[in-house]
Amino acid sequence: MKSLSLQPYDHLSRQEVAATLDNLSRASIAVLGDFCLDVYWTIDPSASEISVETGLKTEPVRAQRYTPGGAGNVVMNLLALGVSKVHPVGVLGNDPYGRELRRLLEAPQINQAGLISQSEGWATHSYVKRYTGDQEANRVDLGNYNHLSEATSDEFFSRLEKIVKQVSVVLVNHQVIGSIHDSEAFRARLAGVMEQHRDVCFIIDSRGYHESYPHAVHKLNDREVMRACGVHIEQDDVLSLESLVTHIEKLHSLWKSPLVVTRGARGCIVFGSGSKNALQIFGVQLPGRSDPVGAGDTFVATLAAIVSTGTNLTAAAFVANLAAAVTAQKLFQTGTASPGEIEELGANAEYAFRPELAESPHHAQYSGGSEIEVIVEPFPALNIRHAIFDHDGTISSLREGWEQIMEPMMMKAVLGAHYATADETLFHRVKSRVRDFIERTTGIQTITQMHGLVDLVGEFGLVPADKILSPAEYKAVYNTELKALVNRRLGKLDCGELDAGDFTLKGAVPFIRALHKSGVRLYLASGTDEDDVKLEAARLGYSDVFTGGIYGSVGQVTKDAKKIVIERILHEVGGAFEQLIAFGDGPVEMRETQRRGSYTVGIASDEMRRFGMNLDKRSRLIRAGAHAIIPDFSQWEKLWSFLRLPPL
């Protein structure tokens, strides 16, 4: 993978994101393209009758809803972003759907002078989505047979010429059959306008006509890149990063234009924006369910809005990536993203770093024949004076198997009285959601996981509201079962059947003692209750080396021990991030430490054996931003040299 001309893009800080969004109120943008109306009809058969004329059953509409779609949804996204002036430029039919769309686009920020109605040969693009309960029937489409008249085309370009002079960005949208773009003559005229106005940034978001519009920024998704290069991709085909970057470079060479390539949950790639390399912007890991509908429109609207303020293309794509993630969290709707929502997500975003490497152990690269997988080499300025360690799974294996306790406990909570009677489909649906939740929340405070459990119980709706426990009550149920397991193991320790070495990872204790002896200040920070962490570290015989303190959960979601300790250390050292390192087997310590610029070592431990690699952990740790991965501390002397610690 080193052969790729692909580099990770440095994340914008919270302050940089906020400053970028603050400028949107002065943006002025034209949206040129396919303006559509999305029509939602709720069919209720309870009022159905037999039609006298046809003898067929009628489909009564109980409720109807209309929203702007296509380029219209892009306009709504620009309004949500706070853009001061938006100029829609497109063609509507002289029909009820066209009049409804105009009504929906009425706002002080919208100048409709660029919307033209064609009476003959043009129907407003409308998509009627009929639902009976949760079941959607075949969609009814209007506008597929549109034909742009010569007179309408002339009027279109006459108005466009006036509008182009009032904006800094024109977003060109194409996504339907029967589009204005389907005319070769239209595409040639639009390309001519773009040539005449090279001072204006044109952003092309098209499903098939990118090559018709040179001198523009091209926004495509990964599969559109491959199709543009003549490569057939099946829906379920896995698209390799190597192949994608190769074809992005090919299109850039062919079109001589910058490309922004979206990859769904994997983020996006920007090429040709001033850098010699393609820049990879990582996707955002969302905590709950997601719905990608509308996320593409949010992305391109945000990209255009930010570019219009003079911000460089890659920074604009970074913020657009956050905005798309905001929309993806809004279920069962074509959502938008406001500046406040984008800032809030960006402040605590959990990025999915290097997803391809995370899924590909065979691409791992190791340091000097060791078991140390190197993702990012230690920083040249690395000077370790402070080290944070997670406890469970990093040093101790006393709590090994906690997932096998939490999973059935959560399933019982979600299913409630249905636990013993649930059919196979429901049972496995709950199990899948619970397992996914546990995997995504490994390493965070138990109380935070229990807040998520309350949400899960409410999501499935199988437990009456007055029977749902509080997060603290669910935590008490879990802790009772887990402590029973821990106490049995401590009992074996006390009676001499087992010793401390049977409950610690290979090499962990010698490593932390060597660090302590060398003058590195050690901190133990865990999502487990603080009293339990202190007790277990003492019983296993190494609490004395953690002179920086032992910290755990105090039962408050806002007081995460790992975050607090990291901030405290960086405050003590005046922000000297090169003096801090974190070791852990969970995403939280990796994410929070690398977010502040310090080095991270992920421990992909097999807690049952206490040595060897757990590939699932490896994947999670890489996605969370780990800079290096080790399976255990059995090669701690090599790790010592790798981290440039002083000679032993």
Side-chain angles (χ1 to χ4, degrees), residues 188 202 320 373 385 491 510 522 593:
F202 285 79
E373 181 179 355
R385 308 308 308 152
L522 303 186
T593 307

Side-chain angles (χ1 to χ4, degrees), residues 169-211:
V169 170
V170 178
L171 174 53
V172 179
N173 159 279
H174 159 243
Q175 61 188 88
V176 301
I177 299 171
S179 168
I180 52 178
H181 298 277
D182 289 349
S183 164
E184 186 175 345
F186 177 93
R187 299 198 300 274
R189 289 184 74 172
L190 180 53
V193 173
M194 295 167 62
E195 177 65 31
Q196 293 167 18
H197 296 276
R198 298 291 291 272
D199 57 321
V200 176
C201 176
F202 285 79
I203 298 177
I204 310 298
D205 184 12
S206 171
R207 292 190 177 178
Y209 296 123
H210 280 276
E211 70 284 351

Side-chain angles (χ1 to χ4, degrees), residues 283-523:
V284 179
Q285 299 187 78
L286 299 175
R289 290 185 298 169
S290 62
D291 181 357
V293 174
D297 288 342
T298 298
F299 182 97
V300 76
T302 308
L303 182 76
I306 294 177
V307 167
S308 73
T309 66
T311 302
N312 72 75
L313 184 63
T314 311
F318 179 87
V319 181
N321 190 53
L322 289 174
V326 169
T327 292
Q329 292 182 102
K330 298 180 177 180
L331 306 179
F332 312 117
Q333 58 179 296
T334 305
T336 60
S338 69
E341 291 172 322
I342 298 169
E343 285 186 45
E344 182 180 357
L345 179 63
N348 298 292
E350 300 178 2
Y351 296 96
F353 294 90
R354 302 173 180 83
E356 288 76 21
L357 179 60
E359 297 166 8
S360 306
H362 58 290
H363 284 158
Q365 298 180 0
Y366 298 93
S367 173
S370 71
E371 294 180 344
I372 304 167
E373 181 179 355
V374 185
I375 296 142
V376 177
E377 291 283 350
F379 312 142
L382 190 66
N383 178 29
I384 299 170
R385 308 308 308 152
H386 302 264
I388 296 174
F389 282 82
D390 175 49
H391 193 222
D392 303 316
T394 299
I395 300 174
S396 167
S397 63
L398 265 177
R399 291 174 175 252
E400 183 275 322
W402 65 267
E403 300 97 331
Q404 284 71 46
I405 292 174
M406 184 174 282
E407 180 182 310
M409 172 264 169
M410 285 191 165
M411 289 189 64
K412 289 175 183 176
V414 172
L415 288 165
H418 303 275
Y419 184 77
T421 58
D423 62 38
E424 187 175 359
T425 300
L426 174 61
F427 190 85
H428 285 283
R429 187 157 62 92
V430 173
K431 178 185 282 190
S432 177
R433 289 283 289 119
V434 166
R435 284 185 174 177
D436 177 66
F437 176 78
I438 292 173
E439 180 175 341
R440 286 187 288 102
T441 59
T442 296
I444 70 173
Q445 295 186 83
T446 305
I447 188 65
T448 305
Q449 289 179 302
M450 295 305 129
H451 276 272
L453 173 58
V454 171
D455 292 338
L456 270 179
V457 174
E459 174 190 322
F460 279 90
L462 299 170
V463 178
D466 61 345
K467 300 293 184 182
I468 299 176
L469 303 184
S470 69
E473 289 172 322
Y474 281 127
K475 179 181 173 181
V477 173
Y478 167 70
N479 272 351
T480 297
E481 298 184 31
L482 181 59
K483 283 187 176 181
L485 171 67
V486 172
N487 287 336
R488 286 195 297 272
R489 291 172 176 174
L490 288 175
K492 289 182 175 290
L493 189 68
D494 291 339
C495 71
E497 292 179 6
L498 297 171
D499 60 35
D502 293 310
F503 297 113
T504 54
L505 261 64
K506 294 292 184 181
V509 175
F511 180 60
I512 59 178
R513 291 205 172 278
L515 284 174
H516 173 63
K517 186 177 180 180
S518 72
V520 176
R521 194 175 188 190
L522 303 186
Y523 307 75

Side-chain angles (χ1 to χ4, degrees), residues 492-625:
K492 289 182 175 290
L493 189 68
D494 291 339
C495 71
E497 292 179 6
L498 297 171
D499 60 35
D502 293 310
F503 297 113
T504 54
L505 261 64
K506 294 292 184 181
V509 175
F511 180 60
I512 59 178
R513 291 205 172 278
L515 284 174
H516 173 63
K517 186 177 180 180
S518 72
V520 176
R521 194 175 188 190
L522 303 186
Y523 307 75
L524 193 60
S526 173
T528 301
D529 285 355
E530 189 167 294
D531 289 343
D532 292 335
V533 182
K534 289 179 177 178
L535 172 66
E536 291 166 22
R539 297 287 292 275
L540 292 173
Y542 46 74
S543 60
D544 59 300
V545 303
F546 290 99
T547 56
I550 297 177
Y551 305 89
S553 172
V554 294
Q556 297 180 38
V557 174
T558 57
K559 294 186 177 181
D560 184 281
K562 296 171 185 178
K563 295 180 183 179
I564 291 172
V565 173
I566 292 169
E567 291 293 348
R568 181 181 300 165
I569 294 169
L570 291 178
H571 178 72
E572 289 178 5
V573 300
F577 63 85
E578 70 278 1
Q579 295 186 19
L580 172 65
I581 190 169
F583 299 87
D585 75 322
V588 176
E589 53 268 23
M590 299 296 102
R591 186 179 302 114
E592 295 301 326
T593 307
Q594 68 81 28
R595 178 179 284 162
R596 291 158 178 82
S598 298
Y599 202 75
T600 58
V601 178
I603 318 301
S605 57
D606 180 333
E607 296 179 52
M608 182 172 290
R609 294 191 301 165
R610 294 175 292 107
F611 69 91
M613 177 71 71
N614 180 319
L615 291 177
D616 289 336
K617 280 190 181 182
R618 173 190 176 274
S619 178
R620 287 198 298 266
L621 291 165
I622 292 175
R623 287 177 180 273

